[in-house]
Amino acid sequence: MEMTGQANTGKTAGAENTGKTAGRTAGKMNAGNQTERTAWGSRQARQGTMDAGAVGLSQQAQAQAMTRQRPQQQPEQIDLKELFFMLLAHWRMILLATLAGAALLGAYSTFLLSPSYETTASIYITSTDSLISISDLQLSAALTEDYAKIIKSRTALNKVIDELGLDLNYKALGNLISVSNPDSTHIVEITVTCSDPELCRDIANALVDIGVNQIYQVIGSSMPTVIDFSAAESVEEITESLFSWLVKGGLLGCVLVCAILVLRSLLDTTLKTEEDIEKYLGLPVLSSIPYYQEL
């Protein structure tokens, strides 16, 4: 009986040892499997990262290729040669506009524009004393502009209107008169411009007489000396010639129609030829369909 118990005890101990050994072996195998799974997961993650990087590089390469293939958008430039040939193609229209402009301004200058005449009278501003000092000359030179304003004053102009019986007010008469002091001298020139040569001369002479008296009343020193009255031979016609109006009209008509044609060409964005498609779109023309018009 004792031997049997010892045998059972030995069997039990062997079984326990076998179980422990099997447990340790199974644990090692599970740990190895876990390590292999972890390594496999790491390899998969690295592979996924590499695949994602490859996809990103592939997309970037495709984008660069498309960028190289796509024509770069350049700022639109004005082709002067193209505009010149466009204007040359419309030479009939430009010639017609030039002739029309010349005819219109020629008719205006002939039938509607009144001729203009101009005359000049002058006075000398200085002292009439026998002895003239430097201070008198300097004073008269400084007052020359004041004398010019006195001549074109409202009082002087109204006296001219009353003396000649003009159907004008002093503002309208003042627009016909200009007073100047040439080269800063002591001379004051009175220029009258109007459409009647006799009236032009009468206004200049009346303004000289009245202006001299008005200057003496205002300044009160010495009366200016009249150098030149207006005479019949001093009246000159200053109307522009018919030829100059024809030239102006022709240039005006030519410039106007050329500006309209250029503006219309620059604002027109439609494509008309195969060259326009290649130039503005950067696309090659594969084929074209001719336009057929039935007779």
Side-chain angles (χ1 to χ4, degrees):
M1 293 293 293
E2 292 178 357
M3 294 177 64
T4 305
Q6 293 177 353
N8 293 331
T9 302
K11 292 178 180 179
T12 303
E16 290 178 357
N17 292 329
T18 304
K20 291 179 179 179
T21 302
R24 286 195 296 270
T25 302
K28 291 179 179 180
M29 293 177 65
N30 292 330
N33 293 333
Q34 185 67 28
T35 302
E36 291 179 357
R37 287 195 294 269
T38 303
W40 182 81
S42 299
R43 287 195 298 272
Q44 292 294 328
R46 287 196 297 272
Q47 185 66 28
T49 304
M50 293 175 63
D51 293 341
V55 172
L57 291 175
S58 178
Q59 293 179 352
Q60 185 178 2
Q62 292 178 0
Q64 292 178 356
M66 293 178 64
T67 303
R68 287 194 297 268
Q69 293 176 359
R70 187 185 302 115
Q72 295 181 355
Q73 186 70 23
Q74 297 180 354
E76 186 176 355
Q77 299 178 354
I78 299 176
D79 192 349
L80 297 179
K81 183 178 179 181
E82 182 179 351
L83 290 179
F84 172 76
F85 283 107
M86 182 272 297
L87 294 176
L88 188 61
H90 294 84
W91 68 270
R92 291 184 179 87
M93 184 183 300
I94 297 175
L95 179 60
L96 181 62
T98 302
L99 296 177
L104 287 176
L105 286 190
Y108 168 76
S109 64
T110 303
F111 301 106
L112 300 178
L113 187 64
S114 300
S116 296
Y117 299 91
E118 182 180 271
T119 188
T120 302
S122 58
I123 59 177
Y124 186 73
I125 306 296
T126 187
S127 176
T128 57
D129 297 336
S130 58
L131 298 176
I132 302 175
S133 63
I134 297 177
S135 60
D136 293 334
L137 292 175
Q138 292 177 347
L139 179 61
S140 60
L143 293 177
T144 302
E145 294 184 1
D146 297 337
Y147 296 153
K149 292 184 180 297
I150 292 173
I151 292 172
K152 286 194 66 174
S153 63
R154 182 177 66 252
T155 302
L157 295 179
N158 284 329
K159 289 181 178 180
V160 172
I161 293 173
D162 295 337
E163 180 177 336
L164 299 179
L166 301 177
D167 188 15
L168 297 172
N169 56 24
Y170 76 94
K171 290 183 179 181
L173 180 60
N175 292 331
L176 304 178
I177 300 169
S178 63
V179 181
S180 61
N181 175 222
D183 300 329
S184 299
T185 61
H186 299 270
I187 299 174
V188 176
E189 290 186 350
I190 302 172
T191 304
V192 181
T193 305
C194 62
S195 58
D196 188 349
E198 294 182 359
L199 180 62
C200 190
R201 181 191 59 195
D202 294 340
I203 292 175
N205 292 333
L207 190 59
V208 166
D209 290 334
I210 294 173
V212 167
N213 294 325
Q214 191 71 18
I215 289 173
Y216 180 73
Q217 292 177 7
V218 174
I219 303 299
S221 57
S222 59
M223 184 174 293
T225 303
V226 178
I227 299 177
D228 287 322
F229 281 102
S230 175
E233 60 272 11
S234 65
V235 180
E236 298 178 354
E237 184 177 358
I238 60 172
T239 307
E240 294 187 29
S241 63
L242 177 61
F243 178 76
S244 64
W245 283 104
L246 292 176
V247 173
K248 289 181 180 180
L251 290 177
L252 180 62
C254 179
V255 171
L256 183 61
V257 73
C258 287
I260 293 174
L261 290 174
V262 170
L263 184 61
R264 188 181 67 176
S265 176
L266 294 178
L267 296 179
D268 188 6
T269 58
T270 58
L271 302 177
K272 299 180 176 62
T273 62
E274 299 177 0
E275 289 78 10
D276 292 343
I277 297 175
E278 295 179 356
K279 179 179 179 181
Y280 297 107
L281 300 181
L283 300 175
V285 178
L286 300 179
S287 63
S288 61
I289 301 175
Y291 177 75
Y292 176 73
Q293 184 178 5
E294 295 182 359
L295 299 177

